[in-house]
Amino acid sequence: MQDQTEKPSDGISYKPPKSAYLWLAGIFAIVFAVIYIALVLFVYFVKTGDGLLGMNNAEAYSLYVFVFLFFLVALYIYFIVSRKELLFSLKRIGALMTIFTFVVVLNIVLIAFNPYLVCVSLASMLVLPFSKKSDAFVLNAFACWISSFVLIASLNQDMFPAIAFTLLTGMLCGAIATYTFPSNMTRIVALLRTVVAGIATFAVYFVLLSTYRLDFRPFLDNVMYIGISVGVEVLLAATLEPVVEWIFNLTSDFKLTELINHKAPLIRRLSTEAPGTFNHSLAVANFAEICADAIGEDPYLARACAYYHDVGKLNNVEYFTENQAGYNPHDEILPEVSAEIIRKHATDGYELCKKHRIPEEVARITVEHHGTLPIMYFYNKAKSLTDGEVDMDEYRYYGEIPTGKIGAIIMICDSAEAAIRAMDNPTGDKVDKLLKGMIDERLKLGQFDNCAITMKDLTAIRLAIVGAYGGLYHKRIKYNIKSGGINV
């Protein structure tokens, strides 16, 4: 359980463990070694010629070390300053840097054949499904800058358009592929994004050559190579995304869609073995999706987390109220035993998720959705059975408090759904009052101390639940059932 859900950046200062900075440096050292080996092989096997810099091989080796170190140091600073929250999820950084390394090495290999084969927007296409748009743009820009420097060091002056092409199209097409389409993409939108980036690649090259040479012939000479490059980007973007997703067990919109499919193994077990918990999870998911959208979080991730937050109940289905049909086994056992069974569903859920390779972002919610809250029903029951003092800590969940806004959302929606369902004649005002007390209690107990949720977010979540309550729990018209049919 070392990898944690990525913590949203909301102006709150986090202090990642010092070891995270060392691990990140280790990742960058591996990236440097792999790409530098590719550069050495490129210089050794591909004749560099005079190049724009007029270097021999020994000079090329030295300059590559200096320039590439400069790029990596700049990228390292970007992560530890602007994306510090990723230091809580080194697995995700590992995935992003693996993509970056692959794209740079691929471009070095392609340059050996023809400078116009460079994949100028591949990095952004592969990074975007797994991280923020800023990461996709920055990593794509760095990949293009490194590729451009390789071209500068190896090409003669008459091939200057190839260098300008890589720089210009890398920045423009990277921006198009990153920012012109929504992050929550369907597969058809992902394909359309790639096609638009490809069209932009042709357009930039056409304008560049027609302006630089005032002649369309060079464009026609190299258009085949650019077409191959665009085709390679389309193919690799479609085939490598699920590979990265599987190797690093990360989430994308496509993966989240698969997780909430009712035929997914754990969800199917919930629906057949614990139908009460299953229906509760669906209701929580409806609340969570609306709340996530209200505060700018990923609604797909929120829904998936809600689906899986109670899967640990599968180990003791009959001990949870929503699955009981009149008989309650807790009536026959001691309150401390009951508390142990109830709180164990959090850690049991995490183990089930890891067994079924559920991504960490979703799996962690199982141990966070109750935080370290006390189980008051059994605590009070224990107090009523003894004249001595009862230690409340023995009746707390031994999970972890939420580390991200999604975890806080699930914590609130989980309790809210159960409490609203248990209310007699709930109204909007009653629900609002209930939620205010529930949120205040969790604030006092420090349940949101480890995530970046704000009071503004909590207010938006409360209002979103109150608004959704009318749609999920509205009163229905009463039907008069008579022989011969149903009369309204």
Side-chain angles (χ1 to χ4, degrees):
M1 292 174 57
Q2 293 179 349
D3 185 42
Q4 297 184 7
T5 303
E6 179 181 332
K7 295 186 176 182
S9 179
D10 197 24
I12 293 179
S13 176
Y14 291 100
K15 291 185 178 180
K18 293 182 179 180
S19 60
Y21 294 93
L22 296 177
W23 279 108
L24 182 61
I27 292 172
F28 272 74
I30 294 173
V31 171
F32 173 83
V34 172
I35 296 181
Y36 184 69
I37 289 173
L39 290 171
V40 169
L41 293 175
F42 175 81
V43 172
Y44 184 79
F45 288 105
V46 179
K47 184 178 180 181
T48 59
D50 293 333
L52 293 180
L53 301 179
M55 297 183 300
N56 58 37
N57 284 3
E59 292 170 335
Y61 293 144
S62 300
L63 189 61
Y64 278 146
V65 169
F66 174 78
V67 173
F68 188 45
L69 275 176
F70 170 82
F71 280 125
L72 281 189
V73 169
L75 194 55
Y76 183 87
I77 293 173
Y78 165 75
F79 277 119
I80 65 174
V81 174
S82 298
R83 296 289 283 130
K84 187 180 293 186
E85 58 267 32
L86 281 175
L87 293 175
F88 293 92
S89 183
L90 291 174
K91 179 181 69 173
R92 188 174 296 275
I93 290 186
L96 299 185
M97 294 309 296
T98 297
I99 292 171
F100 173 77
T101 304
F102 171 79
V103 172
V104 172
V105 171
L106 175 65
N107 283 343
I108 292 172
V109 172
L110 293 175
I111 288 171
F113 293 94
N114 189 281
Y116 292 101
L117 287 174
V118 174
C119 295
V120 293
S121 58
L122 179 59
S124 64
M125 294 178 187
L126 289 174
V127 169
L128 187 57
F130 306 109
S131 196
K132 289 187 175 182
K133 291 182 176 181
S134 59
D135 297 333
F137 180 76
V138 168
L139 287 172
N140 190 79
F142 272 83
C144 288
W145 292 340
I146 293 173
S147 301
S148 298
F149 183 77
V150 175
L151 290 171
I152 290 173
S154 60
L155 296 181
N156 294 318
Q157 188 171 358
D158 61 346
M159 291 298 289
F160 170 78
I163 302 168
F165 167 75
T166 301
L167 281 172
L168 294 176
T169 54
M171 299 302 293
L172 177 62
C173 294
I176 290 174
T178 302
Y179 293 105
T180 54
F181 290 93
S183 298
N184 50 333
M185 295 177 298
T186 61
R187 294 192 187 275
I188 187 64
V189 173
L191 179 61
L192 182 61
R193 178 189 63 174
T194 308
V195 171
V196 171
I199 293 173
T201 302
F202 282 105
V204 170
Y205 182 53
F206 178 79
V207 172
L208 175 66
L209 281 190
S210 62
T211 303
Y212 178 69
R213 292 285 183 85
L214 299 177
D215 184 4
F216 299 140
R217 191 176 304 165
F219 173 81
L220 298 176
D221 292 340
N222 295 301
V223 70
M224 178 186 71
Y225 296 109
I226 299 174
I228 293 173
S229 173
V230 172
V232 168
E233 289 185 350
V234 173
L235 180 63
L236 291 179
T239 56
L240 290 183
E241 181 183 328
V243 174
V244 173
E245 186 179 90
W246 182 81
I247 292 175
F248 292 94
N249 200 21
L250 299 176
T251 57
S252 66
D253 287 342
F254 307 134
K255 178 66 173 180
L256 292 174
T257 301
E258 294 172 0
L259 289 176
I260 63 176
N261 190 314
H262 288 193
K263 294 182 180 179
L266 284 178
I267 303 303
R268 187 169 62 246
R269 282 191 61 191
L270 268 184
S271 64
T272 56
E273 299 176 28
T277 299
F278 175 69
N279 288 319
H280 162 70
S281 297
L282 294 183
V284 173
N286 290 330
F287 279 144
E289 185 173 354
I290 295 168
C291 292
D293 192 56
I295 64 171
E297 290 296 302
D298 186 348
Y300 296 95
L301 178 59
R303 174 167 284 275
C305 290
Y307 268 54
Y308 286 86
H309 79 283
D310 268 346
V311 293
K313 292 181 179 180
L314 286 169
N315 288 358
N316 292 287
V317 172
E318 69 279 6
Y319 284 90
F320 296 90
T321 308
E322 67 268 23
N323 300 313
Q324 295 169 357
Y327 169 69
N328 188 349
H330 290 292
D331 294 337
E332 301 176 1
I333 58 179
L334 295 172
E336 55 264 34
V337 178
S338 294
E340 178 64 19
I341 293 172
I342 294 299
R343 64 185 177 183
K344 201 169 186 297
H345 86 271
T347 51
D348 285 349
Y350 185 84
E351 295 303 323
L352 275 173
C353 285
K354 300 313 289 182
K355 180 179 178 181
H356 287 80
R357 280 187 60 82
I358 304 301
E360 183 72 14
E361 292 89 336
V362 177
R364 281 199 61 81
I365 301 301
T366 60
V367 293
E368 291 182 355
H369 74 282
H370 285 299
T372 57
L373 291 170
I375 308 172
M376 294 305 298
Y377 178 82
F378 293 112
Y379 171 72
N380 291 328
K381 183 178 179 181
K383 287 177 64 177
S384 68
L385 295 176
T386 180
D387 295 330
E389 291 292 327
V390 178
D391 187 359
M392 183 178 286
D393 288 339
E394 294 182 2
Y395 289 85
R396 290 185 184 276
Y397 283 96
Y398 37 52
E400 299 177 17
I401 61 177
T403 54
K405 291 185 181 181
I406 295 293
I409 287 173
I410 301 300
M411 173 181 279
I412 296 170
C413 291
D414 178 44
S415 299
E417 195 282 330
I420 293 171
R421 191 179 293 275
M423 290 177 70
D424 293 326
N425 300 317
T427 64
D429 290 338
K430 286 183 179 179
V431 171
D432 190 42
K433 184 177 180 181
L434 171 75
L435 291 170
K436 284 181 179 178
M438 191 178 294
I439 291 172
D440 287 344
E441 179 188 32
R442 281 152 181 72
L443 284 169
K444 290 177 182 177
L445 293 174
Q447 298 302 297
F448 303 137
D449 288 355
N450 202 27
C451 67
I453 200 151
T454 64
M455 293 303 297
K456 182 179 179 180
D457 292 331
L458 292 173
T459 300
I461 290 170
R462 174 173 57 82
L463 295 178
I465 295 175
V466 173
Y469 154 75
L472 294 178
Y473 295 106
H474 64 281
K475 291 184 178 180
R476 301 295 301 270
I477 297 173
K478 292 184 178 180
Y479 292 90
N480 295 318
I481 302 176
K482 298 181 178 180
S483 59
I486 298 177
N487 294 327
V488 179

PDB file of all heavy atoms in Angstrom, residues 442-460:
ATOM      1  N   ARG A 442     -16.964  15.294  10.825  1.00  0.00           N
ATOM      2  CA  ARG A 442     -15.752  14.749  10.209  1.00  0.00           C
ATOM      3  C   ARG A 442     -14.612  15.767  10.217  1.00  0.00           C
ATOM      4  O   ARG A 442     -13.447  15.388  10.326  1.00  0.00           O
ATOM      5  CB  ARG A 442     -16.070  14.268   8.793  1.00  0.00           C
ATOM      6  CG  ARG A 442     -16.756  12.899   8.802  1.00  0.00           C
ATOM      7  CD  ARG A 442     -17.675  12.661   7.618  1.00  0.00           C
ATOM      8  NE  ARG A 442     -18.291  11.349   7.731  1.00  0.00           N
ATOM      9  CZ  ARG A 442     -19.247  11.020   8.610  1.00  0.00           C
ATOM     10  NH1 ARG A 442     -19.702  11.946   9.451  1.00  0.00           N
ATOM     11  NH2 ARG A 442     -19.757   9.805   8.638  1.00  0.00           N
ATOM     12  N   LEU A 443     -14.957  17.028  10.113  1.00  0.00           N
ATOM     13  CA  LEU A 443     -13.933  18.066  10.225  1.00  0.00           C
ATOM     14  C   LEU A 443     -13.334  18.080  11.632  1.00  0.00           C
ATOM     15  O   LEU A 443     -12.110  18.164  11.795  1.00  0.00           O
ATOM     16  CB  LEU A 443     -14.535  19.433   9.891  1.00  0.00           C
ATOM     17  CG  LEU A 443     -14.777  19.746   8.414  1.00  0.00           C
ATOM     18  CD1 LEU A 443     -15.607  21.009   8.269  1.00  0.00           C
ATOM     19  CD2 LEU A 443     -13.454  19.889   7.669  1.00  0.00           C
ATOM     20  N   LYS A 444     -14.180  17.996  12.635  1.00  0.00           N
ATOM     21  CA  LYS A 444     -13.706  18.009  14.017  1.00  0.00           C
ATOM     22  C   LYS A 444     -12.837  16.793  14.325  1.00  0.00           C
ATOM     23  O   LYS A 444     -11.889  16.876  15.115  1.00  0.00           O
ATOM     24  CB  LYS A 444     -14.896  18.062  14.965  1.00  0.00           C
ATOM     25  CG  LYS A 444     -15.639  19.383  14.961  1.00  0.00           C
ATOM     26  CD  LYS A 444     -16.856  19.344  15.878  1.00  0.00           C
ATOM     27  CE  LYS A 444     -17.630  20.658  15.823  1.00  0.00           C
ATOM     28  NZ  LYS A 444     -18.859  20.614  16.666  1.00  0.00           N
ATOM     29  N   LEU A 445     -13.164  15.668  13.694  1.00  0.00           N
ATOM     30  CA  LEU A 445     -12.406  14.440  13.933  1.00  0.00           C
ATOM     31  C   LEU A 445     -11.177  14.327  13.032  1.00  0.00           C
ATOM     32  O   LEU A 445     -10.507  13.294  13.017  1.00  0.00           O
ATOM     33  CB  LEU A 445     -13.314  13.219  13.746  1.00  0.00           C
ATOM     34  CG  LEU A 445     -14.441  13.077  14.779  1.00  0.00           C
ATOM     35  CD1 LEU A 445     -15.356  11.915  14.406  1.00  0.00           C
ATOM     36  CD2 LEU A 445     -13.862  12.863  16.179  1.00  0.00           C
ATOM     37  N   GLY A 446     -10.901  15.362  12.261  1.00  0.00           N
ATOM     38  CA  GLY A 446      -9.681  15.407  11.453  1.00  0.00           C
ATOM     39  C   GLY A 446      -9.668  14.470  10.266  1.00  0.00           C
ATOM     40  O   GLY A 446      -8.595  14.106   9.773  1.00  0.00           O
ATOM     41  N   GLN A 447     -10.846  14.119   9.750  1.00  0.00           N
ATOM     42  CA  GLN A 447     -10.897  13.153   8.657  1.00  0.00           C
ATOM     43  C   GLN A 447     -10.456  13.746   7.311  1.00  0.00           C
ATOM     44  O   GLN A 447     -10.165  12.996   6.379  1.00  0.00           O
ATOM     45  CB  GLN A 447     -12.312  12.587   8.540  1.00  0.00           C
ATOM     46  CG  GLN A 447     -12.784  11.834   9.777  1.00  0.00           C
ATOM     47  CD  GLN A 447     -11.869  10.681  10.143  1.00  0.00           C
ATOM     48  OE1 GLN A 447     -11.717   9.726   9.388  1.00  0.00           O
ATOM     49  NE2 GLN A 447     -11.220  10.773  11.307  1.00  0.00           N
ATOM     50  N   PHE A 448     -10.437  15.064   7.204  1.00  0.00           N
ATOM     51  CA  PHE A 448     -10.043  15.698   5.946  1.00  0.00           C
ATOM     52  C   PHE A 448      -8.691  16.410   6.061  1.00  0.00           C
ATOM     53  O   PHE A 448      -8.344  17.230   5.215  1.00  0.00           O
ATOM     54  CB  PHE A 448     -11.115  16.710   5.508  1.00  0.00           C
ATOM     55  CG  PHE A 448     -12.484  16.118   5.365  1.00  0.00           C
ATOM     56  CD1 PHE A 448     -13.596  16.800   5.837  1.00  0.00           C
ATOM     57  CD2 PHE A 448     -12.663  14.878   4.770  1.00  0.00           C
ATOM     58  CE1 PHE A 448     -14.871  16.263   5.707  1.00  0.00           C
ATOM     59  CE2 PHE A 448     -13.935  14.329   4.640  1.00  0.00           C
ATOM     60  CZ  PHE A 448     -15.038  15.018   5.106  1.00  0.00           C
ATOM     61  N   ASP A 449      -7.938  16.082   7.098  1.00  0.00           N
ATOM     62  CA  ASP A 449      -6.664  16.773   7.330  1.00  0.00           C
ATOM     63  C   ASP A 449      -5.581  16.402   6.323  1.00  0.00           C
ATOM     64  O   ASP A 449      -4.588  17.120   6.187  1.00  0.00           O
ATOM     65  CB  ASP A 449      -6.147  16.468   8.745  1.00  0.00           C
ATOM     66  CG  ASP A 449      -6.960  17.173   9.820  1.00  0.00           C
ATOM     67  OD1 ASP A 449      -7.850  17.964   9.449  1.00  0.00           O
ATOM     68  OD2 ASP A 449      -6.714  16.927  11.017  1.00  0.00           O
ATOM     69  N   ASN A 450      -5.749  15.290   5.630  1.00  0.00           N
ATOM     70  CA  ASN A 450      -4.691  14.807   4.743  1.00  0.00           C
ATOM     71  C   ASN A 450      -5.051  14.947   3.272  1.00  0.00           C
ATOM     72  O   ASN A 450      -4.455  14.314   2.418  1.00  0.00           O
ATOM     73  CB  ASN A 450      -4.367  13.343   5.056  1.00  0.00           C
ATOM     74  CG  ASN A 450      -2.986  12.952   4.581  1.00  0.00           C
ATOM     75  OD1 ASN A 450      -2.103  13.783   4.471  1.00  0.00           O
ATOM     76  ND2 ASN A 450      -2.798  11.679   4.263  1.00  0.00           N
ATOM     77  N   CYS A 451      -6.077  15.751   2.976  1.00  0.00           N
ATOM     78  CA  CYS A 451      -6.425  15.975   1.575  1.00  0.00           C
ATOM     79  C   CYS A 451      -6.679  17.464   1.349  1.00  0.00           C
ATOM     80  O   CYS A 451      -6.840  18.226   2.299  1.00  0.00           O
ATOM     81  CB  CYS A 451      -7.645  15.148   1.154  1.00  0.00           C
ATOM     82  SG  CYS A 451      -9.190  15.612   1.944  1.00  0.00           S
ATOM     83  N   ALA A 452      -6.715  17.862   0.094  1.00  0.00           N
ATOM     84  CA  ALA A 452      -6.758  19.286  -0.251  1.00  0.00           C
ATOM     85  C   ALA A 452      -8.166  19.831  -0.370  1.00  0.00           C
ATOM     86  O   ALA A 452      -8.390  20.841  -1.022  1.00  0.00           O
ATOM     87  CB  ALA A 452      -6.015  19.513  -1.568  1.00  0.00           C
ATOM     88  N   ILE A 453      -9.130  19.176   0.246  1.00  0.00           N
ATOM     89  CA  ILE A 453     -10.501  19.648   0.126  1.00  0.00           C
ATOM     90  C   ILE A 453     -10.680  20.938   0.922  1.00  0.00           C
ATOM     91  O   ILE A 453     -10.118  21.106   2.007  1.00  0.00           O
ATOM     92  CB  ILE A 453     -11.495  18.562   0.587  1.00  0.00           C
ATOM     93  CG1 ILE A 453     -12.866  18.844   0.007  1.00  0.00           C
ATOM     94  CG2 ILE A 453     -11.535  18.429   2.103  1.00  0.00           C
ATOM     95  CD1 ILE A 453     -13.696  17.628  -0.228  1.00  0.00           C
ATOM     96  N   THR A 454     -11.445  21.869   0.379  1.00  0.00           N
ATOM     97  CA  THR A 454     -11.654  23.175   1.000  1.00  0.00           C
ATOM     98  C   THR A 454     -13.085  23.296   1.502  1.00  0.00           C
ATOM     99  O   THR A 454     -13.956  22.496   1.158  1.00  0.00           O
ATOM    100  CB  THR A 454     -11.374  24.302  -0.004  1.00  0.00           C
ATOM    101  OG1 THR A 454     -12.341  24.219  -1.074  1.00  0.00           O
ATOM    102  CG2 THR A 454      -9.974  24.176  -0.589  1.00  0.00           C
ATOM    103  N   MET A 455     -13.343  24.327   2.295  1.00  0.00           N
ATOM    104  CA  MET A 455     -14.701  24.571   2.769  1.00  0.00           C
ATOM    105  C   MET A 455     -15.627  24.868   1.590  1.00  0.00           C
ATOM    106  O   MET A 455     -16.799  24.485   1.598  1.00  0.00           O
ATOM    107  CB  MET A 455     -14.715  25.741   3.759  1.00  0.00           C
ATOM    108  CG  MET A 455     -13.993  25.455   5.073  1.00  0.00           C
ATOM    109  SD  MET A 455     -14.648  23.995   5.934  1.00  0.00           S
ATOM    110  CE  MET A 455     -16.330  24.519   6.268  1.00  0.00           C
ATOM    111  N   LYS A 456     -15.091  25.534   0.591  1.00  0.00           N
ATOM    112  CA  LYS A 456     -15.888  25.805  -0.607  1.00  0.00           C
ATOM    113  C   LYS A 456     -16.281  24.489  -1.282  1.00  0.00           C
ATOM    114  O   LYS A 456     -17.422  24.330  -1.732  1.00  0.00           O
ATOM    115  CB  LYS A 456     -15.078  26.681  -1.568  1.00  0.00           C
ATOM    116  CG  LYS A 456     -15.836  27.056  -2.833  1.00  0.00           C
ATOM    117  CD  LYS A 456     -14.974  27.948  -3.727  1.00  0.00           C
ATOM    118  CE  LYS A 456     -15.730  28.308  -5.008  1.00  0.00           C
ATOM    119  NZ  LYS A 456     -14.900  29.171  -5.903  1.00  0.00           N
ATOM    120  N   ASP A 457     -15.335  23.553  -1.357  1.00  0.00           N
ATOM    121  CA  ASP A 457     -15.631  22.242  -1.936  1.00  0.00           C
ATOM    122  C   ASP A 457     -16.694  21.512  -1.120  1.00  0.00           C
ATOM    123  O   ASP A 457     -17.621  20.911  -1.680  1.00  0.00           O
ATOM    124  CB  ASP A 457     -14.366  21.376  -1.987  1.00  0.00           C
ATOM    125  CG  ASP A 457     -13.333  21.903  -2.971  1.00  0.00           C
ATOM    126  OD1 ASP A 457     -13.730  22.530  -3.960  1.00  0.00           O
ATOM    127  OD2 ASP A 457     -12.135  21.690  -2.724  1.00  0.00           O
ATOM    128  N   LEU A 458     -16.551  21.547   0.198  1.00  0.00           N
ATOM    129  CA  LEU A 458     -17.497  20.843   1.069  1.00  0.00           C
ATOM    130  C   LEU A 458     -18.903  21.432   0.940  1.00  0.00           C
ATOM    131  O   LEU A 458     -19.897  20.695   0.960  1.00  0.00           O
ATOM    132  CB  LEU A 458     -17.024  20.905   2.518  1.00  0.00           C
ATOM    133  CG  LEU A 458     -15.742  20.121   2.830  1.00  0.00           C
ATOM    134  CD1 LEU A 458     -15.273  20.400   4.252  1.00  0.00           C
ATOM    135  CD2 LEU A 458     -15.967  18.620   2.639  1.00  0.00           C
ATOM    136  N   THR A 459     -18.997  22.739   0.793  1.00  0.00           N
ATOM    137  CA  THR A 459     -20.302  23.368   0.582  1.00  0.00           C
ATOM    138  C   THR A 459     -20.897  22.933  -0.749  1.00  0.00           C
ATOM    139  O   THR A 459     -22.093  22.627  -0.840  1.00  0.00           O
ATOM    140  CB  THR A 459     -20.169  24.901   0.617  1.00  0.00           C
ATOM    141  OG1 THR A 459     -19.657  25.303   1.884  1.00  0.00           O
ATOM    142  CG2 THR A 459     -21.510  25.572   0.372  1.00  0.00           C
ATOM    143  N   ALA A 460     -20.057  22.901  -1.790  1.00  0.00           N
ATOM    144  CA  ALA A 460     -20.531  22.473  -3.108  1.00  0.00           C
ATOM    145  C   ALA A 460     -21.000  21.017  -3.075  1.00  0.00           C
ATOM    146  O   ALA A 460     -22.010  20.661  -3.696  1.00  0.00           O
ATOM    147  CB  ALA A 460     -19.419  22.650  -4.147  1.00  0.00           C
TER     148      ALA A 460
END
